[in-house]
Amino acid sequence: MDPIDRIKVHKDSTFAMLLEAQARAWPILYAEQHHLYQRDGRSHVRCRPLRVRNDEQDWFSLDTARDRPVDDFDIVLMRKDPPFDMDYIYTTYLLDQPAAAGSLVVNHPAALRNANEKLAATLFPEFCPPLLVSSDPGRLRAFIDEQGDVILKPLDSMGGASIFRVTPGDPNRNVIIETLTRHGRRQTMAQRFIPEIREGDKRILVIDGEPVPHALARIPGAGETRGNLAAGGEGVGVDLSPRDREIVAGVAPWLKANGVLFAGLDVIGDYLTEINITSPTCIRELDAIYSLNIAGSLMDRIAQELAV
């Protein structure tokens, strides 16, 4: 995971998972991405026994570090936040070996490597708004002219970073496209703007193909287009709509087939915009609103998987 001393305890989904695992008396060992290494074809990790407390002033204790083969562990939770860079890809390679040796890696490293969170949604065009992925500035300009109101975003960021709303008459259109595409060298996604963003960008959590019955609608603040909590959006609990459930049902077989036990689908209005599988969040917010234990449901499913 990311450095545990820097997390926001009240909203960190990985922390919710740690609390739940500890409540089950499952020993927890902690490591960051750079603590992994491989020797003679076997992946190892320098890890530290971890204890957690639901206390925003004093939430963890770490014991002495030691090196262990990763395939010694029953479960490996891969919860490193984006950016999805080459170090992240190398980490998935190092996790392939323990996954093949029988450790349950959540989510499966091949899925983490192959399924870009924004591009994964395009596997389901029947649920997506009109969109284009291109590095060609002229093609992107033509799409903006065609659609009239467009969201432009990079493929490798999170939390609403570098997302722009652009119209044909925007005086900054060319410089936005140049910046995002790095002058035609980087693929960028363009999606038709969905006005229903005013009702929230819904995060739907999915455990082994089954949705949590409520979503967190992240509603943009005043003067904002982005609903991301990291960009100042407000999280409001909502029940899943029939369309939400239709989208989950359409995506679920792909998630299950690729070893994705925990995913977060982003839905605006009637449209799927992203499939988050690297480190989906919003557990703690939904737990607080609806008195749920989403991490408990996930750990139940993991325990079932281990028992097979």
Side-chain angles (χ1 to χ4, degrees):
M1 62 179 286
D2 289 292
I4 194 167
D5 61 333
R6 301 180 198 170
I7 64 173
K8 296 177 180 178
V9 172
H10 69 283
K11 59 177 290 186
D12 193 274
S13 292
T14 305
F15 190 71
M17 296 177 193
L18 293 172
L19 287 171
E20 178 62 27
Q22 182 173 276
R24 294 169 184 238
W26 295 359
I28 306 167
L29 289 101
Y30 160 87
E32 296 172 39
Q33 190 170 240
H34 63 275
H35 294 133
L36 284 164
Y37 65 97
Q38 192 176 92
R39 176 65 189 268
D40 300 327
R42 194 178 189 191
S43 294
H44 295 71
V45 63
R46 187 150 187 84
C47 54
R48 300 178 69 180
L50 171 68
R51 298 286 298 174
V52 288
R53 297 171 290 278
N54 199 13
D55 179 346
E56 292 189 34
Q57 303 305 314
D58 178 27
W59 61 91
F60 74 98
S61 302
L62 290 168
D63 207 337
T64 305
R66 58 176 291 199
D67 288 24
R68 289 182 59 175
V70 183
D71 58 24
D72 269 0
F73 296 102
D74 299 304
I75 307 159
V76 179
L77 290 175
M78 173 53 175
R79 293 286 302 175
K80 172 69 181 70
D81 284 346
F84 186 87
D85 54 16
M86 286 307 300
D87 283 336
Y88 193 102
I89 291 174
Y90 296 148
T91 295
T92 68
Y93 290 139
L94 293 178
L95 292 176
D96 279 339
Q97 182 271 318
S103 296
L104 177 60
V105 182
V106 181
N107 289 310
H108 196 281
L112 295 174
R113 184 167 58 246
N114 295 338
N116 175 275
E117 301 194 331
K118 294 173 176 64
L119 286 174
T122 69
L123 297 172
F124 306 94
E126 66 273 26
F127 300 132
C128 293
L131 61 84
L132 169 73
V133 178
S134 177
S135 60
D136 183 340
R139 198 178 301 277
L140 289 165
R141 286 193 294 269
F143 183 81
I144 294 167
D145 290 339
E146 172 193 305
Q147 297 296 326
D149 198 349
V150 166
I151 295 294
L152 295 177
K153 53 188 175 180
L155 298 178
D156 60 353
S157 65
M158 63 169 285
S162 300
I163 291 179
F164 295 88
R165 181 179 176 185
V166 185
T167 58
D170 191 325
N172 293 308
R173 180 175 75 163
N174 287 344
V175 71
I176 290 169
I177 292 173
E178 289 168 5
T179 300
L180 287 176
T181 66
R182 295 178 183 167
H183 295 273
R185 296 191 302 273
R186 183 173 69 171
Q187 298 287 347
T188 296
M189 177 172 282
Q191 287 178 335
R192 185 176 71 193
F193 175 70
I194 306 169
E196 288 81 3
I197 184 63
R198 62 181 177 272
E199 299 166 7
D201 179 355
K202 288 178 283 188
R203 167 59 56 84
I204 302 171
L205 297 179
V206 183
I207 298 173
D208 195 29
E210 294 296 324
V212 173
H214 312 283
L216 192 73
R218 297 159 297 171
I219 299 174
E224 259 289 357
T225 298
R226 302 168 299 171
N228 308 77
L229 300 182
E234 176 190 3
V236 176
V238 296
D239 294 337
L240 298 193
S241 69
R243 175 62 170 178
D244 295 336
R245 292 183 179 277
E246 179 187 4
I247 291 171
V248 173
V251 175
W254 177 84
L255 295 173
K256 291 170 71 70
N258 287 278
V260 178
L261 281 182
F262 188 58
L265 308 189
D266 288 351
V267 174
I268 302 174
D270 287 337
Y271 296 106
L272 174 68
T273 59
E274 294 187 19
I275 300 176
N276 295 271
I277 68 170
T278 53
S279 56
T281 188
C282 295
I283 285 180
R284 301 216 81 183
E285 295 90 342
L286 286 168
D287 280 355
I289 295 168
Y290 293 105
S291 298
L292 302 174
N293 182 5
I294 295 169
S297 298
L298 175 61
M299 296 304 164
D300 285 345
R301 184 63 194 89
I302 286 173
Q304 292 167 7
E305 189 77 10
L306 290 177
V308 173

